Each structure stands twice: as C-alpha cells, then as structure tokens.
Amino acid sequence: MLTTTAAVSCRCFWERNRAVSGFFPRSFSCRAMEVPAGLSAGKESSALPAAAALPNESQPTPATPVQITVLKAQDLKTIKSDVSVTLVRAEYNGAILGDSSKTDVLPDGTANYNFMTSFECSPDGPNSLNDTAQKPVLLTVIEVLQREQRQKEKTVPLGQAVVDLLPLLQGQCSFKVSAPLYAVPTSPLESLHPEAKGGLEVTVCTKEPLLSAAQLSNGNLLSITLEAAYSVPEAFAATGPLQNYMACLQVPAAGEKEFPLLFKNGILKLAGEKEPLPRPKKWPLANIMAPGALSIPNSFIVGGPYEDEDGELNKREDREFRIQAESTKRIVWDMERRCYLDPAAVVILQKRIAECQYWPVEVCGMSVASSSKGKTSKANKGDEDKQIFFHGVAYVNMVPLLCPGVKQIRGAFRVFTYQDSEVFEKTKSQHSVFRDLRAQLSLTKEGSWTPGISTPLSRAVPSKTRKEDKEKMTKDKDSNRRMSNAPKIQLSDATVEAENVTYLSLDGQQYVEAGTFLVMEIKLDKALVPKRLREELTRRVKQMIPPRPPLPPRPAGAKKAVENYHNHVTSIAVAILSEYHELFGKQLPDQGAIDHQTLEEQKRQLNFELNSSGKYFAFKEQLKYAVVKIVREKYLKTTAFETQEQFQSFLSELYVYLMDEMHIALNQLLSEEAASPAPLSRTTEEQLWLFAREAEVNKDYKLASLYHQQRVAQDQRNIQYWLDYGAFCLLLEETTKAQECFQQALSLDPHHIQSLLLCGIVAVMLEHYEEAEIFFEDACCLEPSSIVAWTLSGLFYELQNNNIQAEMAFREAKKLLQAQLAKERSIPEAAEGEEGKKHISAGCVRSPSPGPGECLPAPSPVSGLSQPPCTIFMKAVKFLMKVNAVQFVHRALAHELLSLQGGPSCAYYLALAQTYLLKEDLSKCEECLCEAIRIDYMNPNVWAQKGHLCYLKRDFGEAKECYERTISFVEDAADMHFVYLRLGSIYLEEKEYGRAKQTYLLACKNSASCLTWLGVGIACYRLEEMVEAEDALSEANALSNTNAEVWGYLALICLQGGRQLEAEQCYKYTVKLGLRNDALLREIRAAQQRLGFGNPAPLSTPSGKGPPRRSRPTPARRDPRST
C-alpha cells in the first residue's frame, strides 16, 4: 500500500509541476507541497516568486528535480509517550526544503504526513553530484506544543533521521527506505542510547536518472573513511585551549581541478578500551542534533587482521605496537567522505596514481574559539586568521588501486613532519592543502552558525550573549597564540608570499617521535582496472589449448597384426591338410609311420596339385596382406630402403620372425596345450620415474627420454607423467617440446594449477607474453591461496616492467605466507604434551615436498636443518628447481637476496649452487657451497651437494668424505638415492667391496633399481659370493634387460660356473648392447680364453628381437625372475 501511495504521489507531483516548472528560475532549488487535498500549503505557497524568468536555454546541463516524499512516522510514542501533534522538516545541503503540515499522532505512535518536497540536482549548481554522494537528506520530527492564550506556538525537536541519496548515483530513479529515527536530547547533559526508537518511511524519486548511461558505466564513486590517528604525541591534551583536529587530502576532479576532502572535528580520547568492532561510519555533518543520526545506514568499520592490510605496520613484529596504540591516547573520526568521479576524473585519477604512487594526507590541530552567531565586523576580521599546530603528513600508497580487480585499500600509514621539499619529492604536491583551504577554514568557524534546523530554534537568543561570545572568542584566540613557540602556518593572505618557502614544523616532529599513524580506507565502487572474470580466463585458455579427446583405439596394431598372421597360417594349414586328405586319404599305415621316400613323393604330388590348380597362388595372396601388416605395425617400415644391403638384411630378419611365428601358430593348431604367455612386465610407474632420474643424473639423456616415454605410454591421461616429461625437456633446453607436454597436461585438466604455471613459464621462454599473462592470471584466479602462483605472477610482471602488478602480486603472496606461518606456529602451541610436539615436528621434517598448506621443514638441533623464516621467493625456487626452470630461478633468487636483511641464507646458496651445477659451472658451484657450509655446517643437503660436486670433478676422496658425512646425519638428505649410488661406486673403485655391498643394499632397501642391484651383484662377485651375485644380477636384469654391464657380469658368472650355453648368450647380448666398460670387456675375454668357451664364432644373433630377460634352463636352479 505504501509503495502504491508513493507512486501516486510521484505521478501527482510531476503532473502538477509540468505546467509551472518552466516558470521557476534556475536559482530556485527548493519546492514544497502537500498531497492531501484540502490542506493549506501555508508558508510554502508564499515562497513561490510572483514573477519568474524563463529557464536559460543555453545552459548545457539542466537541473534534475529530486522529489522527497515522507509518507509516515512510526513508533513516535517510544520517544515521548505524550506526544500528540508533530510536523516533519526536510533539509538538504544546509537549506530547509520545507515543513509538513501539523499532523496528529495516532494512539499507536503513527503519524501520516504524506509530505512532498524537492530540490534540484545539477552538476554545475549548488546541489552537485558530489553533494548527492556525501550529503543526506536530514528529516527532523518536531513536536508542536499546545499554546496558551496570547502566546506564540512552541516547537521542540523530537527526533532526526537521514536518507542516503547514494542509490541515485548507482542508476536508480526511485527507491523507498525506512529511515531510523533517533531521539534528540532535551538537554546537553542527557545521555541517550544510540539505538533508533522510531522510523520514517520515505520515498525518493527522479523523473530521469541523474547519470547518463556513459556516466554510469565509465564514472565511479570514491569513498574515503578516516578511522583514527593512534599513538598521538603527549602534547595532545584534553585540557587547555580547544583544538579542532583535522585531516585533508585532495582527489582529482574534471579538468585540472582538485577536490578537497576535509575531515574535521576529530575526538581526542584518552587511554582506555579500544574502539569496538564493527562500528558505524559517520556523516561529515555539523547540524545534526541527534547523535545517532550521524551514523551512515548500513556502513560499518569492520577492521580485520593487521597482516591483511595494505599500508604500513602490518608485519608480525608490529602487532604488539598496534594493539598497545589502539588502547592509548588517540584521535577518532570514524568519518566517511564520498566523491563522484565523472569519466574524465576517473582517467585523471588513474594518470595521477601512475605518475606518483604516494598521495599526501595532511593532519593538523587548529585552535577553536567560542562561536558567535551573526556576521563578523571589520574590527574583528583579524580574528579570522587562525593558526594550525602539529602539522604532519601521511603518505598513502595508491598503487594497489591500479591492479586488476582491486577496489579498496585499507591500512595504517605513518605520520611524518610536514616538509615542503619532502612532500614535493614524494607526491609532486607543491604546497599544503590547508593553505589552499585557508579562506574556507577562516570563514567557517567551528561552532559557527550553519543554515538548517538551528535557525528557527535559536532566534530568541539576545544580542548581549553574542557580544559575550565574541569577547570570549578573542580571549581564547590570544591564549592559543601563546600556547606554543613553535612555527605555525598563518591562514591569512599575509602568508601567500611565503607559500613556496621550505619550513619545518617543530611540533610536527612529535608525530615521528610518538610513532603516530593514521588508519584509513580508500574505496571505489568499481575497480579502476577491471579484472578478467574466471569464465573468460578459462575460455581463453581453452582457445589456446583445446581439450583433446582420448585417441580412439586403433583398429590394427602390432599385436593384432601378429594374431591376424596366426589366423591366416592356421586357415591355410587346414586347407592344405584338406587337400592332402583328398589326395591320399585319412587312413594311416598299420604301423602308424610313413617312410621318408613315401613322404617325399606325397610332398611332390601335393605341390604339383597346388601349383596346377592355382591354390598355391591363392594361399600366397591370402598371406600377403597379413605379412604387409606385420611389416608396417611390428617393424614400422613404410618407406623404401636406402641400400640393397639394408633390404636384404631386413628380409633375412623378417623371414626368421615369420618362420618362428608360423611354428607357434602350427603348434597351437596341432597341440591342445597353448604356448605359455610372456611374463608381464614388473616395471611400475614409480620404478620408471626412478630409472629416468638415474639416467638424467648419469647424463644418459637418451635412456631417460625412453623411460619418460614409457611412463606416458602406460597412461596417457596421467597429468603428472606429462609434467615430468616436460620438465625433462626443459633440462635439455627443448622448450618447444616442453610446451607441448605442458599443454597436453593442461588439456587433460584446464583447472590444474601446476600445468597453468608451467605453461606460463614456457610461454615466457618463447616470448609469448600475452599467453603467459593469461596462464598466470588464470592460476591466481583459480587458486587465490597459492603462494607460488602469486610469486611467479609477480616475477612475470616484473619482467614486463609492470611494477604495479608485480608489487601487488608479491604483497598478496607475502600475506598468504604470513597467514600460513601463523597457522603452523599455532599447531605446536595447541598440542598438549612433549610427545605431541615431537610427533608434529617429525611429521613436518619427513614431508618430502611440502605444499602451500603443509608444514615447512621443522628445525632440528641435531641435523642442522634449522632455517631462517621461509620466504615467498624460496618457495618459488623450490617449485622451479623441480621443473628445471633455471631462468625464473635466478630471478627469484635475486629477489631473495634483496629481501633478506641478515644476508643470504644457506637455502639461497644451496639453490644457487644447484643452478650452477646444472650449467656445469663447477667453480661457482663450489663457491656457493662453501658459503652454505659456513652458514649451516650441519645441513646434510649441503654436504650431499658438495659430494656430487667433488664426484663430478673426479675428486673421489673428497666426495667419499662428504657422502659419509651426509649418511652420518640423523636426518636424510633430499637425494639419498644418488648419495648411496655414488658412494657405492667409490667403494668399488677403491676395492672396499664389503662396504660397497652394504651401501648398495641400503639403496635397494629405500628404492631398488637396476643400478642398485647391479652394485650389489658386482660387490658380491668380487667377494666371490657367486650365488648372491647371480641373484642380485638376475634381479637387476629383471628390472632392466638392456643394461650391458648386467649381461657382462652374468657372462662372467656363467663362465665361472662352466655353463657354456648361458655364457655365450650373456656375452652375445653384452656385445650387442654395446658395453662401454672396456675393463670389464677385457676381463670377460680373458676368462673366455682361459676357459676355452663363451665366445661363439661366428656371432649369430637372431636380429630383430630384444634381449631376453635372464633365465636358465637348468631345472635345479630357480628362475632369477622370481627373485
């Protein structure tokens, strides 16, 4: 019903004013009228001019009327129980819009006013868009007292409410609110509860939007909240001359103008309880009598963790100081100022921030004299020259507002002494904003008359009181001038000549000594730089890397080609057998055997029959297709041979293979027992990964690539396999191939963070910077809690010279790291008992690769793994080293070097040494490791890395000492597998076979591989433990049957055991696989010459077949593959 009434009221208003609105002058901005018929307009109607001029047609921006309709008041009797007659008064921007008619209050406390009034809003007029943003409509409910005979009617303010007009700047043409009504104290000593005791139902509407579509989309709303100044100087005292504590900053407006935002009337509070949270923000108004009405509806200061702030004093070490300062002497404003920025001002704001990242916020205290109501005479004009004390300035870093999606910054900002030269150097501001506002500050005195509600309520004040106020104000001003001998800024015209002179405010220096800081918030309605939406980023990524569907199963493969060949051989054999039965019958001789001469005759007749009938040709054509498929699928031969020798060699190899497969097919046909299937491969994914890492460390990159390809072939939809293969390609500096691997992983899961980051890294390496930005931004959007993602984004933006984005990304990463470290510190503190603490510590240390949410390595006094606090750059280095992204590693280490206050850490030198080791710069690697050992002598990772360095330098004695020291630590190094392998090989070189055996067995226990079992086998062979040696070598052969050294030692063992056939087979594959150990090859040949067997002559190997896995036909010995 209320909504309908408001709509009718709006329609009635426009219809009534359509005819007469053209006769109102543009300077006239207030209208008032009543809705109910029969009610007299009273004084409001007399306010209309007798003759009005036509509007100025040349005015570019017409004014827009804003209609305010007060429908009714509710719960008035909760404020005053005996209230009977009231009226409501509307004020806006210091002007009275009008009073409603007197209305009786119903028994339930409701008063139906149905009062309409309006004002004109114009960008160039007295009621501008900035006024609409920061000034509300003030509504005062006034009680009309019953007058006695021959006495004037008395009125008393009962309550006040405010209506925020901000929705009009957000595109709305009308809205309805229930404004809380706050009681007005009847005396200054009365203390009221801030809660509202009633309400006013109000509608606000305009005929057309205040902002055009372009202004609405390209403009912005800026709101600045000044909360408080903490840790203020001791000279700030509640006693003595009154002070008006102010702060001010300027924001750009259209053109070259600056719009000042002034915060006045800060309240000095002594030590006590800190300000509550949340608490409401306040209007910057001075003519409000109800204290509760100062609160902005639905706008609160909520605070938050210090670590999440954007300003200064947000480190962990500042926390205690902040907590203490918030409960000591402070100045509280809790005031919000708003400003509408048109599209031109938005562009200027972005330009100003880009040119100068720090903006000055000036603070000061001004002496306050007693108010006087009336005009100032010329004799007292000199009193207008006020002075300010404690002139300081805070530098607010506005750069975060230029980051995509950032709409607000909030934090603490230190206050420094105001010095012209320093302010100009940091902010390019040439003079104090208070000097620009000297006229406004001089003419607008604290407590002076403000147009509004106080006007009709204070007309009876005698002139004598005004004179007394003037005298008192003069005395107070004289007292203020004697308060301090320090220099002050005179706010009069006499100081214009001295504006450009550098000065130092001595009382402003007290801010620095006291550690004063401001807490403020700067907020925009829309981000200056829009952030790409998550959906858009995902769409862009999909456009660059479309998801690849799984490959359809191939209709023909090597296995199917062989099966097809078997089927054709079987069908042809059945057909030939049928021909034989037709020629010779199925009956066998009585003895069951046919002599050789008869068989030869039958064979001749059968061949003649097949050739003469054409069946032989048909059988050959039938088999030709199956053979062609084997050549293509099994041998991958699709092109012509280069030489005749290669062709003949291939034909020989193919013939042997086809004959073998033919025999298999015929045996399956003629025998009920099928051939035993080939044993399944025992190699698992983890073993392939280990074998690949071993090949990488041994620089056998061809073998490492083979193992990576085998992993991918086992499961092509496993993301980690593709990422590992791509990291291996980065190690070989094959960036394009690495990009294909990472993009394949990303196509399997477009939301995989690690794949996105790696795609971004290779895009940077290939100088595809636009694609890289998409990848990094998408990673941060998908997982905003990833420290590594934000850090890598910062490194990328720094590479692009985008310092604003880089700083924002690094700050976000540091904020996440601080939260993570705080969470981890709270875990041991909450644990009960020493045993629980030890358990948590052990769990953190044993984590092989802690992620962003896992524990960091815990300090250990025994092992020396204690590290300085982890940084975002070392976390990024840890990730980058795993993927061999050395280019980004050096950038991260450069930041780490600059960010550390106590000098580089052990982790820094260790990571730098690893990069030099990858580049084979051994001298620089050694320098870094020496520094790392000097910093942390008990770190096993450092000693392991030094052992690797000495091993590559072939300084086996020093390497042996480093490896033995590494093993002796309580905590293991990160790469213990390679420590065991290389230490075992050193023991073998020094003929310490017992220690070598034990070392290799330790490696087998942790992570068995072909190389670890080979080491055990060699050590056992040298110790003449032949059975154990053969078992170990058979295990190595089962893990990898392409290791020539394994076959070589197996050949030696078979030679020693007198097993000629196996010795020859092992030696054959030793030579075929290309044994590169010349000493072992000479030892094998010497044993062959000594024993007289083992070297077949000539060497005949069935080519085309890989080496078999080791097996022995002797039934008394077990198959080593079962070991």
Side-chain angles (χ1 to χ4, degrees):
M1 179 178 178
L2 292 176
T3 306
T4 306
T5 304
V8 172
S9 301
C10 289
R11 189 180 301 110
C12 180
F13 173 78
W14 298 124
E15 291 176 353
R16 289 188 181 187
N17 287 277
R18 184 182 302 148
V20 299
S21 59
F23 298 98
F24 292 157
R26 285 296 175 188
S27 59
F28 182 77
S29 60
C30 301
R31 297 191 183 114
M33 63 186 301
E34 297 294 332
V35 173
L39 294 178
S40 174
K43 295 181 180 180
E44 286 77 4
S45 61
S46 63
L48 297 176
L54 292 175
N56 186 6
E57 298 294 338
S58 63
Q59 186 172 355
T61 308
T64 302
V66 179
Q67 177 192 335
I68 312 297
T69 304
V70 183
L71 299 176
K72 65 178 180 179
Q74 294 178 332
D75 300 328
L76 291 180
K77 291 189 178 293
T78 59
I79 300 177
K80 187 176 181 182
S81 59
D82 58 348
V83 61
S84 58
V85 180
T86 61
L87 61 86
V88 63
R89 175 172 296 166
E91 301 177 52
Y92 181 71
N93 198 11
I96 299 177
L97 303 182
D99 294 350
S100 71
S101 61
K102 303 171 187 176
T103 304
D104 294 332
V105 179
L106 301 179
D108 61 353
T110 301
N112 296 311
Y113 298 113
N114 292 325
F115 165 65
M116 284 194 300
T117 184
S118 68
F119 66 90
E120 291 184 347
C121 177
S122 173
D124 304 322
N127 300 322
S128 64
L129 296 177
N130 279 332
D131 295 327
T132 306
Q134 67 178 342
K135 294 180 181 179
V137 174
L138 180 61
L139 302 174
T140 306
V141 176
I142 301 174
E143 180 185 9
V144 181
L145 302 178
Q146 295 180 357
R147 60 180 179 178
E148 298 179 0
Q149 294 180 356
R150 298 181 182 180
Q151 288 185 355
K152 291 184 178 181
E153 190 175 67
K154 293 183 179 180
T155 58
V156 176
L158 191 64
Q160 284 185 317
V162 292
V163 177
D164 192 357
L165 301 179
L166 190 62
L168 296 179
L169 298 180
Q170 295 173 338
Q172 298 186 30
C173 291
S174 63
F175 62 92
K176 178 181 177 181
V177 295
S178 179
L181 186 65
Y182 298 92
V184 175
T186 57
S187 67
L189 299 179
E190 183 180 0
S191 177
L192 296 176
H193 294 288
E195 292 82 6
K197 293 187 177 181
L200 292 176
E201 290 189 1
V202 184
T203 60
V204 180
C205 61
T206 59
K207 188 174 182 179
E208 57 186 16
L210 295 184
L211 301 179
S212 64
Q215 288 177 317
L216 190 62
S217 60
N218 300 325
N220 213 328
L221 286 171
L222 173 66
S223 62
I224 299 179
T225 303
L226 181 61
E227 298 180 17
Y230 295 101
S231 187
V232 297
E234 291 295 332
F236 285 22
T239 59
L242 295 178
Q243 295 285 316
N244 183 359
Y245 300 105
M246 297 183 296
C248 188
L249 77 159
Q250 290 182 328
V251 296
E256 298 297 327
K257 299 179 181 179
E258 295 282 349
F259 184 77
L261 295 179
L262 182 64
F263 298 85
K264 301 193 299 183
N265 304 326
I267 301 173
L268 178 65
K269 293 187 178 182
L270 302 180
E273 296 184 359
K274 60 187 300 186
E275 302 300 315
L277 290 175
R279 60 184 185 272
K281 298 178 181 180
K282 298 179 181 178
W283 293 105
L285 302 178
N287 57 342
I288 292 182
M289 295 180 292
L294 278 173
S295 300
I296 302 177
N298 302 320
S299 184
F300 298 92
I301 298 172
V302 296
Y306 302 134
E307 293 80 6
D308 294 344
E309 295 179 350
D310 300 294
E312 307 167 61
L313 300 172
N314 53 5
K315 305 292 190 303
R316 187 167 63 94
E317 53 269 20
D318 301 322
R319 180 179 180 83
E320 184 177 353
F321 170 69
R322 291 281 300 270
I323 294 175
Q324 182 180 0
E326 289 177 358
S327 58
T328 56
K329 187 186 298 184
R330 59 200 180 275
I331 300 173
V332 179
W333 284 274
D334 289 346
M335 188 180 297
E336 181 182 74
R337 297 293 300 263
R338 300 171 183 165
C339 175
Y340 169 73
L341 303 176
D342 60 10
V346 172
V347 175
I348 295 175
L349 177 64
Q350 290 177 297
K351 182 180 177 182
R352 295 280 178 87
I353 298 176
E355 291 175 351
C356 187
Q357 62 177 345
Y358 292 104
W359 283 25
V361 179
E362 298 182 38
V363 293
C364 72
M366 176 178 286
S367 58
V368 177
S370 300
S371 62
S372 63
K373 301 173 178 58
K375 295 184 179 180
T376 306
S377 63
K378 294 183 179 180
N380 295 327
K381 191 172 183 179
D383 295 338
E384 305 299 338
D385 299 337
K386 295 191 176 184
Q387 299 171 336
I388 65 174
F389 304 89
F390 302 103
H391 192 194
V393 60
Y395 301 104
V396 179
N397 186 4
M398 302 284 286
V399 166
L401 292 179
L402 293 185
C403 298
V406 176
K407 296 191 292 186
Q408 74 171 31
I409 55 177
R410 179 186 180 274
F413 304 93
R414 295 181 183 272
V415 180
F416 300 92
T417 304
Y418 188 95
Q419 303 181 54
D420 284 342
S421 59
E422 181 180 350
V423 172
F424 177 76
E425 179 182 356
K426 286 190 174 183
T427 68
K428 309 305 179 191
S429 179
Q430 298 181 355
H431 46 265
S432 170
V433 65
F434 286 122
R435 293 177 181 173
D436 296 337
L437 297 177
R438 62 181 179 270
Q440 177 181 344
L441 295 174
S442 297
L443 295 176
T444 307
K445 294 183 180 181
E446 179 66 25
S448 62
W449 169 72
T450 304
I453 182 65
S454 57
T455 306
L457 301 177
S458 58
R459 292 175 180 171
V461 179
S463 60
K464 182 178 179 180
T465 306
R466 297 178 184 176
K467 295 180 180 180
E468 293 176 355
D469 288 344
K470 282 188 177 181
E471 295 175 358
K472 184 177 180 182
M473 179 185 66
T474 304
K475 294 180 181 179
D476 289 343
K477 188 174 294 292
D478 295 337
S479 175
N480 290 335
R481 288 173 178 169
R482 295 192 300 267
M483 189 183 76
S484 175
N485 294 325
K488 309 163 188 72
I489 302 178
Q490 298 287 336
L491 298 178
S492 64
D493 294 337
T495 62
V496 175
E497 299 178 357
E499 283 184 358
N500 297 324
V501 179
T502 302
Y503 70 93
L504 173 64
S505 178
L506 298 180
D507 47 2
Q509 181 68 21
Q510 298 185 35
Y511 286 125
V512 180
E513 297 173 356
T516 306
F517 61 92
L518 294 177
V519 176
M520 60 187 306
E521 177 190 68
I522 300 175
K523 185 177 180 180
L524 292 165
D525 187 58
K526 293 178 291 187
L528 293 177
V529 181
K531 185 177 181 180
R532 280 184 282 232
L533 299 177
R534 177 175 175 177
E535 294 76 12
E536 179 186 356
L537 292 171
T538 304
R539 179 180 56 81
R540 294 282 300 272
V541 170
K542 287 183 177 180
Q543 289 177 353
M544 292 185 291
I545 308 174
R548 298 180 177 90
L551 295 175
R554 298 182 60 184
K559 184 178 180 181
K560 188 171 183 178
V562 175
E563 292 178 355
N564 189 36
Y565 175 73
H566 287 178
N567 295 333
H568 281 82
V569 169
T570 302
S571 64
I572 293 173
V574 171
I576 293 175
L577 185 60
S578 299
E579 290 292 328
Y580 178 85
H581 289 160
E582 288 181 3
L583 290 176
F584 309 108
K586 297 183 180 181
Q587 189 67 31
L588 293 175
D590 296 337
Q591 291 80 8
I594 303 177
D595 60 277
H596 179 69
Q597 185 177 2
T598 304
L599 285 176
E600 288 295 328
E601 180 64 23
Q602 290 180 354
K603 178 179 179 182
R604 186 186 63 81
Q605 293 181 15
L606 180 60
N607 287 335
F608 176 79
E609 181 65 25
L610 293 177
N611 282 289
S612 61
S613 63
K615 294 181 179 179
Y616 177 82
F617 180 78
F619 291 153
K620 186 176 68 171
E621 290 299 319
Q622 182 181 353
L623 201 59
K624 181 190 296 185
Y625 177 76
V627 175
V628 170
K629 294 297 290 182
I630 287 180
V631 173
R632 291 178 177 177
E633 301 294 339
K634 182 71 176 179
Y635 289 89
L636 305 178
K637 296 292 185 180
T638 57
T639 58
F641 293 92
E642 296 179 358
T643 62
Q644 187 66 22
E645 289 78 8
Q646 292 181 357
F647 179 61
Q648 292 298 329
S649 176
F650 173 72
L651 287 180
S652 300
E653 183 178 349
L654 177 62
Y655 176 76
V656 172
Y657 178 77
L658 292 178
M659 293 300 294
D660 291 342
E661 294 299 327
M662 182 192 70
H663 293 154
I664 293 175
L666 293 176
N667 290 335
Q668 291 178 351
L669 175 63
L670 302 176
S671 175
E672 296 181 357
E673 180 180 358
S676 59
L680 297 176
S681 175
R682 299 177 52 195
T683 308
T684 63
E685 179 274 327
E686 292 81 4
Q687 289 174 329
L688 286 175
W689 165 241
L690 179 62
F691 300 164
R693 286 287 297 128
E694 289 178 340
E696 289 177 23
V697 172
N698 294 331
K699 300 187 184 304
D700 190 351
Y701 298 126
K702 184 177 180 181
L703 181 60
S705 178
L706 177 62
Y707 284 129
H708 281 294
Q709 292 171 7
Q710 288 181 9
R711 293 181 76 211
V712 172
Q714 285 187 1
D715 186 1
Q716 296 187 9
R717 301 195 62 80
N718 191 301
I719 295 177
Q720 191 60 44
Y721 297 172
W722 287 105
L723 297 184
D724 293 338
Y725 192 18
F728 169 71
C729 294
L730 283 183
L731 178 65
L732 302 184
E733 297 183 354
E734 297 178 356
T735 311
T736 305
K737 198 170 183 179
Q739 183 186 37
E740 294 176 0
C741 295
F742 296 148
Q743 289 184 353
Q744 178 65 30
L746 190 59
S747 67
L748 296 174
D749 183 5
H751 296 162
H752 193 257
I753 303 302
Q754 192 175 356
S755 301
L756 284 168
L757 295 177
L758 291 176
C759 284
I761 289 172
V762 294
V764 171
M765 293 180 178
L766 296 174
E767 299 183 357
H768 300 164
Y769 298 118
E770 184 177 354
E771 293 182 6
E773 184 176 6
I774 296 294
F775 289 129
F776 287 126
E777 190 174 348
D778 194 18
C780 295
C781 181
L782 290 174
E783 191 171 342
S785 62
S786 174
I787 299 174
V788 175
W790 285 108
T791 306
L792 294 183
S793 298
L795 295 175
F796 165 74
Y797 288 124
E798 184 185 55
L799 182 65
Q800 296 292 298
N801 295 323
N802 190 342
N803 297 326
I804 296 176
Q805 290 275 69
E807 183 181 351
M808 187 276 291
F810 291 147
R811 184 172 62 249
E812 186 67 24
K814 292 176 181 177
K815 185 188 302 182
L816 292 171
L817 180 61
Q818 290 176 0
Q820 175 185 327
L821 294 176
K823 181 179 179 180
E824 291 169 2
R825 281 191 298 268
S826 64
I827 295 177
E829 294 174 359
E832 296 180 1
E834 190 68 22
E835 183 177 356
K837 294 181 181 179
K838 290 181 180 179
H839 177 72
I840 293 172
S841 177
C844 293
V845 172
R846 288 293 180 179
S847 179
S849 57
E854 300 177 8
C855 295
L856 296 176
S860 173
V862 179
S863 64
L865 280 178
S866 58
Q867 297 289 345
C870 183
T871 64
I872 60 172
F873 302 109
M874 291 311 299
K875 278 187 166 291
V877 165
K878 185 175 181 180
F879 169 78
L880 295 170
M881 287 301 299
K882 290 182 179 179
V883 297
N884 302 314
V886 181
Q887 177 184 353
F888 270 77
V889 169
H890 283 291
R891 289 189 170 274
L893 289 178
H895 274 279
E896 176 72 9
L897 184 62
L898 295 175
S899 64
L900 294 174
Q901 298 179 355
S905 63
C906 176
Y908 167 82
Y909 282 116
L910 183 58
L912 189 59
Q914 290 173 343
T915 61
Y916 288 135
L917 200 61
L918 288 177
K919 295 182 177 180
E920 297 184 0
D921 192 345
L922 303 184
S923 59
K924 291 185 178 179
C925 178
E926 186 174 8
E927 294 175 3
C928 294
L929 290 177
C930 290
E931 289 295 324
I933 291 175
R934 181 184 59 82
I935 295 174
D936 191 354
Y937 191 79
M938 302 293 290
N939 194 321
N941 290 316
V942 178
W943 287 105
Q945 204 67 32
K946 186 176 181 182
H948 297 330
L949 173 66
C950 297
Y951 187 88
L952 295 178
K953 293 171 62 177
R954 303 195 67 80
D955 186 359
F956 296 129
E958 184 69 19
K960 175 183 174 182
E961 293 181 5
C962 294
Y963 288 145
E964 289 176 344
R965 184 187 296 271
T966 303
I967 296 175
S968 65
F969 286 116
V970 176
E971 302 297 338
D972 291 339
D975 55 350
M976 289 301 297
H977 181 78
F978 301 103
V979 172
Y980 288 136
L981 281 179
R982 289 179 169 175
L983 181 59
S985 66
I986 294 175
Y987 285 146
L988 290 179
E989 286 289 332
E990 297 180 354
K991 299 183 179 180
E992 299 183 35
Y993 302 122
R995 302 182 69 178
K997 177 182 176 181
Q998 296 300 322
T999 303
Y1000 279 118
L1001 285 174
L1002 287 174
C1004 291
K1005 181 179 179 181
N1006 291 335
S1007 50
S1009 68
C1010 176
L1011 297 183
T1012 58
W1013 283 115
L1014 173 61
V1016 175
I1018 295 174
C1020 292
Y1021 176 78
R1022 300 305 179 187
L1023 293 172
E1024 299 182 356
E1025 300 173 354
M1026 296 301 174
V1027 177
E1028 294 184 7
E1030 186 172 4
D1031 288 341
L1033 292 171
S1034 298
E1035 188 69 24
N1037 179 263
L1039 291 174
S1040 175
N1041 63 344
T1042 59
N1043 191 299
E1045 198 166 350
V1046 173
W1047 286 108
Y1049 277 100
L1050 283 172
L1052 283 176
I1053 291 176
C1054 293
L1055 287 171
Q1056 297 293 340
R1059 304 201 298 269
Q1060 179 178 354
L1061 180 61
E1062 295 179 58
E1064 290 179 359
Q1065 184 187 26
C1066 293
Y1067 177 71
K1068 176 178 61 177
Y1069 285 110
T1070 300
V1071 176
K1072 183 177 180 180
L1073 293 170
L1075 179 64
R1076 289 177 290 183
N1077 190 339
D1078 296 334
L1080 177 60
L1081 190 59
R1082 289 193 299 268
E1083 184 179 0
I1084 294 173
R1085 288 174 178 171
Q1088 290 171 346
Q1089 293 177 1
R1090 185 176 68 253
L1091 297 174
F1093 64 90
N1095 187 2
L1099 180 62
S1100 59
T1101 62
S1103 51
K1105 300 176 69 175
R1109 300 199 181 267
R1110 173 77 170 95
S1111 62
R1112 285 166 291 177
T1114 307
R1117 306 286 294 179
R1118 60 188 176 87
D1119 189 344
R1121 289 176 295 179
S1122 63
T1123 303

